């Protein structure tokens, strides 16, 4: 057979495959609607399960008192802020898994997951040390004495769940990075249901449990997080996974791989820390404006979080698909997956925004179910309705921000993400302080500032994605040469 004849069939096959790919529908083509939805939909449910869990915590606590609800929101946000740096790195484990999976290097998947677990174990003692600093932290917030007492209790109890949160996130990357997101959905949803049952028992004292109020809500979350970590550990160590992906043999510290996880994941973790810290600082400052402003802001943010978490699911799917397709050296498919995810996210956010504007009580009714009519109730309700309109004003660009930042992080462009977040988070914190303490802009001025901040972030990440530098990036090492 001649050289020409030997080469022709593969070339012809490639041309035919390319023609078929181009002629396929938006739904059925590679990186099209079906592929994105298959990966994203379970992550949407998984993300919602955690958000519903915290949302119901706050609703149940609101039935106890508005102060307990506001305290749980502020303390829970600060607790999450304390976890953001290591959490962002453990979450980035899924990028390594996805790129190794796309490159068909199965032997590197198990050991990648365990580097995330090792990081979680290393930082856990520091996470527990935060318990002792809680009173001082909330003294600085300047909130009322009862709210401050609740905040300290809620934060200190949640800290016992910090190691479990990090370990579970690293182990979950074994499934999410390979696109097996249905497993993540089932585990996270089951744990959310467990948390809701424990909430009902421990907040109000049902089924023989003591009525612990806000402490009970926190202990319910802690117990659920440890159950979640145990479930993922048992799943990852199944014999078939040990054989195919080295999930047991990979339970070793790999210095080079750990260093690369820190190099690429560290900026991602810092970015998450900076973004959440900026929001936390904003919430703490708005809390100084008064109890009504603090309550309404807590409600608006709780509802906003519940609303945008499905977009967070699409953002995570974007990162996974970008990683997989870049592992295959198909940056064109990585870009297509990003645009497809954005279309889903924008369509969803448009519907949610319309509901915030024209039917806000769909979301607010549960908060006021146990309240009698009164002046304070009416003031909190009216302010919450207005704040949801601010959320609607930035929702679409928030979707763009999440999708495009996740896409470039899935490629490894985390340094840019870090520098951008450093500048923007510092700006948000500084301007929020000036708005509250110096300019006396009030709650509406603060929220207008927040909306403008989200708009700027969305545009910045869109432009970075369009520049295309991410297309040539990889977080995994080159495959060994074969002879």
């Amino acid at each position: 057979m001649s050289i020409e004849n030997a080469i022709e069939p593969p070339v012809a096959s490639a041309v035919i495959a390319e023609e078929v790919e181009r002629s396929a529908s938006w739904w059925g083509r590679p990186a099209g609607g079906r592929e994105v939805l298959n990966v994203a939909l379970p992550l949407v449910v998984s993300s919602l399960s955690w958000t519903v869990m915290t949302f119901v915590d706050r609703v149940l606590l609101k039935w106890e008192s508005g102060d307990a609800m506001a305290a749980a929101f502020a303390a829970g946000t600060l607790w999450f802020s304390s976890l953001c740096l290591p959490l962002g790195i453990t979450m980035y484990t899924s990028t390594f898994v996805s790129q190794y999976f796309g490159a068909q290097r199965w032997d590197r998947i198990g050991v990648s997951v365990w580097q995330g677990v090792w990081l979680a174990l290393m930082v856990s003692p520091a996470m527990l040390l935060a318990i002792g600093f809680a009173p001082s932290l909330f003294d600085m917030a300047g909130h009322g004495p009862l709210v401050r007492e609740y905040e300290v209790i809620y934060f200190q109890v949640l800290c016992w769940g910090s190691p479990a949160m990090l370990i579970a996130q690293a182990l979950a990357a074994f499934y999410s990075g390979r696109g097996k997101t249905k497993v993540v959905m089932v585990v996270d949803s089951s744990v959310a249901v467990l948390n809701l049952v424990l909430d009902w028992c421990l907040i109000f004292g049902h089924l023989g449990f003591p009525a612990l109020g806000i402490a009970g809500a926190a202990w319910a979350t802690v117990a659920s997080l440890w159950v979640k970590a145990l479930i993922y550990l048992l799943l990852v160590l199944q014999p078939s996974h040990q054989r195919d992906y080295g999930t047991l043999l990979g339970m070793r510290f790999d210095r080079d791989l750990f260093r690369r996880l820190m190099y690429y994941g560290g900026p991602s973790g810092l970015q998450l820390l900076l973004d959440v810290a900026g929001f936390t600082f904003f919430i703490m400052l708005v809390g100084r404006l008064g109890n009504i402003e603090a309550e309404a802001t807590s409600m608006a943010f709780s509802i906003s979080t519940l609303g945008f978490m499905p977009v967070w699911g699409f953002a995570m799917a974007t990162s996974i698909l970008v990683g997989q397709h870049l592992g295959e050296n198909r940056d064109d498919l990585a870009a297509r997956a990003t645009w497809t995810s954005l279309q889903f996210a924008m369509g969803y956010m448009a519907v949610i925004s319309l509901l915030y504007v024209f039917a806000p009580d769909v979301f607010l009714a549960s908060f006021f179910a146990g309240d009698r009519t009164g002046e304070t109730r009416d003031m909190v309700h009216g302010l919450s309705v207005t704040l949801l309109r601010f959320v609607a004003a930035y929702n679409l660009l928030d979707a763009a921000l999440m999708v495009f930042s996740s896409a470039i992080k899935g490629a490894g462009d985390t340094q840019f993400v870090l520098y951008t977040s450093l500048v923007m988070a510092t700006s948000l914190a500084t301007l929020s302080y000036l708005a509250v303490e110096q300019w006396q802009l009030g709650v509406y001025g603060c929220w207008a500032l927040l909306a403008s901040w989200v708009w700027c972030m969305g545009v910045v990440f869109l432009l970075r994605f369009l520049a295309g530098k991410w297309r040539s990036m990889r977080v995994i090492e080159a495959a060994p040469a074969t002879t």
Side-chain angles (χ1 to χ4, degrees), residues 302-370:
S302 297
I303 293 167
S304 171
T305 303
L306 185 66
F308 81 63
M309 283 314 288
V311 178
W312 180 246
F314 282 105
M316 287 191 292
T318 302
S319 184
I320 292 165
L321 291 169
V322 166
Q324 289 183 358
H325 289 307
L326 288 182
E328 301 167 348
N329 291 318
R330 291 295 305 272
D331 62 285
D332 58 321
L333 294 184
R336 182 188 292 170
T338 302
W339 289 111
T340 304
S341 294
L342 183 67
Q343 291 166 21
F344 279 118
M346 287 287 197
Y348 165 80
M349 274 299 206
V351 173
I352 288 294
S353 297
L354 290 173
L355 289 174
Y356 285 169
V357 173
F358 296 108
D361 282 324
V362 169
F363 306 96
L364 289 169
S366 58
F367 283 102
F368 297 98

Side-chain angles (χ1 to χ4, degrees), residues 256-273:
D256 291 336
L257 187 53
F258 185 83
R259 186 182 297 120
R260 276 191 288 112
L261 175 62
M262 294 300 295
Y263 178 80
Y264 290 104
S268 180
L270 283 170
Q271 176 250 337
L272 183 61
L273 171 62

Side-chain angles (χ1 to χ4, degrees), residues 65-308:
S65 75
D67 287 339
M69 187 272 295
F73 181 76
T77 304
L78 184 61
W79 171 74
F80 187 75
S81 298
S82 72
L83 279 176
C84 279
L85 177 56
L87 182 64
I89 301 174
T90 55
M91 289 172 65
Y92 205 75
T93 305
S94 65
T95 297
F96 281 79
V97 173
S98 66
Q99 291 198 15
Y100 279 128
F101 185 75
Q104 299 185 14
R105 298 178 62 188
W106 320 125
D107 60 308
R108 299 294 289 166
I109 290 178
V111 69
S112 297
V113 171
W114 281 105
Q115 302 319 297
V117 176
W118 280 113
L119 173 67
L121 295 174
M122 288 176 187
V123 302
S124 289
M127 297 295 101
L128 295 176
L129 284 176
I131 294 172
F133 293 101
S136 299
L137 289 171
F138 289 103
D139 281 341
M140 290 188 293
H143 297 166
L146 183 58
V147 172
R148 183 259 184 201
E149 178 186 348
Y150 284 153
E151 287 170 338
V152 171
I153 292 170
Y154 195 73
F155 179 86
Q156 288 181 325
V157 174
L158 283 182
C159 285
W160 292 105
S162 299
M165 179 86 161
L166 298 175
I167 292 169
Q169 190 62 57
L171 293 172
F174 174 74
Y175 289 99
S176 61
R178 295 183 300 125
K180 307 299 181 183
T181 52
K182 290 180 181 178
V183 176
V184 179
M185 175 185 70
V186 171
V187 173
D188 289 1
S189 300
S190 300
V191 169
V193 171
L194 172 64
N195 180 261
L196 298 183
V197 173
L198 291 175
D199 268 341
W200 184 69
C201 293
L202 292 173
I203 293 175
F204 302 111
H206 295 299
L207 300 181
F209 287 89
L212 301 178
I214 193 169
W219 281 118
T221 300
V222 170
S224 301
L225 287 173
W226 279 107
V227 169
K228 180 178 176 180
L230 178 60
I231 291 172
Y232 275 123
L233 178 63
L234 295 175
L235 288 173
V236 167
L237 291 178
Q238 291 179 83
S240 60
H241 296 330
Q242 293 181 34
R243 181 184 65 249
D244 297 337
Y245 301 103
T247 56
L248 183 60
L249 294 175
M251 197 188 298
R252 67 181 188 276
F253 184 77
D254 186 314
R255 182 179 300 176
D256 291 336
L257 187 53
F258 185 83
R259 186 182 297 120
R260 276 191 288 112
L261 175 62
M262 294 300 295
Y263 178 80
Y264 290 104
S268 180
L270 283 170
Q271 176 250 337
L272 183 61
L273 171 62
L274 290 168
D275 288 351
V276 174
F279 274 99
T280 303
F281 192 69
F282 176 86
I283 292 164
M284 294 294 182
L285 283 172
V286 171
R288 292 187 176 189
L289 296 174
N291 289 341
I292 290 173
E293 289 83 353
E295 243 186 272
T297 293
S298 297
M299 287 185 196
F301 265 123
S302 297
I303 293 167
S304 171
T305 303
L306 185 66
F308 81 63

